Amino acid sequence: ATGSGKSVSKESLIQLVDKSPFEQVFDSFTAELESALKSHSVTSKRSLPKALQNACQSEMELRMQERIANNRYQASLSGEFEFYNDDGKDQNGGRRLGSSATAPDAGPTENLTTARMKVMYFARDPHRKQFQEYIPRMPEPLVVAVLESIASDPDFQDNLKADRMALVSPRVFWNLVYICRTKGFFLPDRTRGVDMTRAVEMLVPSLRAPGADTTFLHQRRRA
């Protein structure tokens, strides 16, 4: 119910929650513009476009981040990615990290949380392009601890899905991709693509426990 005593349907509440920041500001803009025109308020009419412009910019930035995340996800499935050690000096070089299940770990364990790795990968955006990112290394126990923390909260479990993880945390995403490659979590129908879902099921203690429900990892988000 609202303050006026009128009830609001569940469907209406869902529509309000699902609106993007741009749509919310646009609705506000429309209502305030109508009010400004009726009252002939010059100040209101001048200030409204700026709010709409800011909302539009935020929406564009979000869409760009989603596009980049999709590129990361594409690369993890195709296996078109490579890891390189990065000391921060040579942005075009670096020593390649292990790329197979038998490859040795790169660098001392105590330095993994501070060392960076360069990730080079290919994706269609919309044509095949090469991308690169610089990501802080995370030791496997830290990656597992982060995943376990996410798995323990039903409200955040969706972030364990590979496509979602690529958006919300590129650092965890690429470190998990590296773990998948070094430990041999590969997709059965591809020679180099990694199976991040299986890795999460096998690495996270609460999810590999007997009777653990991991069906949410295999459910696709609605468009």
Side-chain angles (χ1 to χ4, degrees):
T2 63
S4 61
K6 295 181 179 180
S7 61
V8 180
S9 67
K10 182 178 179 181
E11 290 75 12
S12 298
L13 288 174
I14 292 175
Q15 289 176 359
L16 289 173
V17 171
D18 287 345
K19 284 184 177 179
S20 68
F22 175 79
E23 291 171 325
Q24 293 174 21
V25 173
F26 186 78
D27 288 348
S28 175
F29 170 79
T30 303
E32 292 184 38
L33 180 58
E34 182 179 359
S35 175
L37 291 173
K38 289 180 179 179
S39 63
H40 303 288
S41 172
V42 177
T43 302
S44 296
K45 284 186 284 185
R46 285 181 176 176
S47 62
L48 289 174
K50 183 64 176 178
L52 190 61
Q53 180 181 358
N54 291 340
C56 184
Q57 181 65 31
S58 297
E59 190 74 8
M60 290 175 63
E61 291 175 356
L62 174 60
R63 296 295 172 243
M64 178 58 69
Q65 290 302 316
E66 291 176 341
R67 183 175 176 178
I68 295 172
N70 184 60
N71 290 340
R72 297 182 185 115
Y73 181 55
Q74 278 188 52
S76 73
L77 294 177
S78 66
E80 291 190 292
F81 58 86
E82 293 295 344
F83 297 100
Y84 298 83
N85 274 325
D86 175 63
D87 57 10
K89 296 179 181 179
D90 181 8
Q91 298 297 304
N92 297 315
R95 183 168 62 83
R96 180 174 172 177
L97 300 184
S99 59
S100 69
T102 58
D105 193 20
T109 303
E110 62 269 23
N111 294 331
L112 290 180
T113 56
T114 56
R116 292 197 314 171
M117 60 183 176
K118 181 171 71 172
V119 186
M120 300 190 69
Y121 60 99
F122 288 91
R124 294 189 175 278
D125 187 29
H127 305 292
R128 190 171 184 271
K129 296 181 182 177
Q130 185 179 49
F131 303 88
Q132 67 180 37
E133 298 180 31
Y134 292 88
I135 304 294
R137 288 290 309 278
M138 295 172 64
E140 183 179 326
L142 179 57
V143 174
V144 172
V146 170
L147 298 178
E148 179 66 76
S149 177
I150 297 172
S152 66
D153 192 332
D155 292 334
F156 290 92
Q157 285 183 341
D158 196 52
N159 294 324
L160 290 176
K161 298 178 182 179
D163 58 339
R164 182 66 182 168
M165 193 187 305
L167 174 64
V168 299
S169 181
R171 178 177 180 178
V172 175
F173 175 83
W174 283 122
N175 276 279
L176 181 57
V177 170
Y178 177 67
I179 291 172
C180 287
R181 176 169 278 189
T182 57
K183 284 187 170 293
F185 289 106
F186 296 107
L187 291 168
D189 57 341
R190 294 178 171 86
T191 56
R192 292 168 54 82
V194 295
D195 190 343
M196 298 180 70
T197 299
R198 186 162 65 92
V200 169
E201 290 177 320
M202 297 299 294
L203 294 174
V204 178
S206 64
L207 296 182
R208 69 167 183 262
D213 183 9
T214 61
T215 55
F216 70 92
L217 289 171
H218 302 272
Q219 295 171 347
R220 297 184 63 86
R221 290 182 297 157
R222 292 183 180 180

